Amino acid sequence: MKKEICVRGDDKELIEKFLKRISLFRNFNTRSLQCVLGEFKVITVENNEDVVFQDDEGTDLYIVLKGKVKVSLTGLDGNEFILTELKEGDFFGEMSLIDGKSRSANVIALEDTTLGVLPRDMFICTMKENNAIAFDLLEALIQRLRKSNDMIESLAFLDVNERLVKFLIDDARKHRETVKGSHYIARKRTHQEMASHIGVSREAVTKALKALSFRKTVIEEDGYFLISSDAASEFSVDK
Ligand code: CMP
């Protein structure tokens, strides 16, 4: 259940320090930060709880203070496609905040998560006063666009085995998992979860994993996958 937390003076100081460390707020001056904190709401959501529904109205900006969420789309058949996962310091909700249209995707907590919620007017007003903030937002949006292009490229040009290997290698690199011997290490996920990330059915992931295990490209261990470091070039996913 969503719960609003009462923000006390000490918490405000901690939130201010936290915001100063994240790129979207690095150009806020002290006065703007104080204004933001005056309007800032903090909420908690439980694992698996929806924060934002695709097509809902809403213009608040959310900042992940603690925890993790996924951004996903739901097909007409109810299948889920995961666009990205966001962690501490990331933000979401900027699309409706800027164009005033309905939410473009669902955002769902992947663990118990604490979020900062900022009303649209506050953010827009500060952004208009300070062009550097608009530029930081633009930079973040361009990074997302690049990632989306990368995902479109995978969907358009890679087969299921290649997509799975690419996803596991990207995941291993994102979490800075160390290379063990000549292997990347990616944390274990369910077949359904991987299917939702690469846009195929759970059965297709099971089949691909069997083929990749047979070739020793991917080895399933307790709690993690080992992916042969040769796989990146072999599967043309070395980016
Ligand atoms: P908004 O449309 O307001 O609500 C859903 C949010 O999900 C959206 O703003 C973005 O913050 C986020 N989102 C939507 N699409 C993507 C994407 N392709 N990559 C990363 N985040 C996204």
Side-chain angles (χ1 to χ4, degrees), residues 52 71 83-84 92-96 102-105 107 144 148:
V52 157
V71 179
L83 294 165
T84 193
F92 59 91
E94 78 293 347
M95 291 172 68
S96 300
S102 55
R103 297 294 190 188
S104 61
V107 183
R144 286 188 180 171
S148 295

Side-chain angles (χ1 to χ4, degrees), residues 132-180:
I133 298 170
F135 198 81
D136 289 338
L137 181 61
L138 209 53
E139 200 178 310
L141 290 178
I142 284 168
Q143 260 178 31
R144 286 188 180 171
L145 189 59
R146 283 186 188 279
K147 274 200 199 154
S148 295
N149 282 2
D150 195 39
M151 187 179 270
I152 293 168
E153 192 180 20
S154 296
L155 294 174
F157 301 122
L158 302 183
D159 66 22
V160 179
N161 289 6
E162 289 168 329
R163 275 190 231 171
L164 189 56
V165 168
K166 178 171 166 41
F167 169 71
L168 290 173
I169 292 178
D170 284 348
D171 206 36
R173 284 176 176 159
K174 211 174 354 182
H175 295 100
R176 293 195 185 84
E177 299 292 0
T178 42
V179 176
K180 185 178 174 189

Side-chain angles (χ1 to χ4, degrees), residues 28-156:
F28 276 65
N29 57 32
T30 309
R31 189 183 60 84
S32 303
L33 262 185
Q34 289 307 320
C35 290
V36 162
L37 284 168
E39 302 272 334
F40 209 73
K41 250 186 359 193
V42 176
I43 61 167
T44 56
V45 282
E46 286 169 10
N47 182 20
N48 240 342
E49 193 177 342
D50 297 281
V51 184
V52 157
F53 279 111
Q54 186 176 351
D55 296 329
D56 266 7
E57 298 299 320
T59 53
D60 287 343
L61 180 75
Y62 294 82
I63 298 113
V64 183
L65 299 176
K66 191 162 151 278
K68 203 157 81 170
V69 299
K70 64 180 171 183
V71 179
S72 68
L73 302 172
T74 312
L76 288 177
D77 52 7
N79 281 337
E80 180 184 45
F81 181 66
I82 299 174
L83 294 165
T84 193
E85 291 177 354
L86 304 174
K87 56 176 185 349
E88 208 174 286
D90 290 332
F91 62 87
F92 59 91
E94 78 293 347
M95 291 172 68
S96 300
L97 176 139
I98 290 170
D99 69 7
K101 294 194 176 147
S102 55
R103 297 294 190 188
S104 61
N106 306 300
V107 183
I108 300 161
L110 283 172
E111 52 192 64
D112 292 349
T113 296
T114 309
L115 300 163
V117 190
L118 196 58
R120 174 182 194 271
D121 293 348
M122 171 77 246
F123 193 82
I124 295 277
C125 182
T126 315
M127 197 166 69
K128 279 184 179 161
E129 279 176 13
N130 183 346
N131 290 342
I133 298 170
F135 198 81
D136 289 338
L137 181 61
L138 209 53
E139 200 178 310
L141 290 178
I142 284 168
Q143 260 178 31
R144 286 188 180 171
L145 189 59
R146 283 186 188 279
K147 274 200 199 154
S148 295
N149 282 2
D150 195 39
M151 187 179 270
I152 293 168
E153 192 180 20
S154 296
L155 294 174

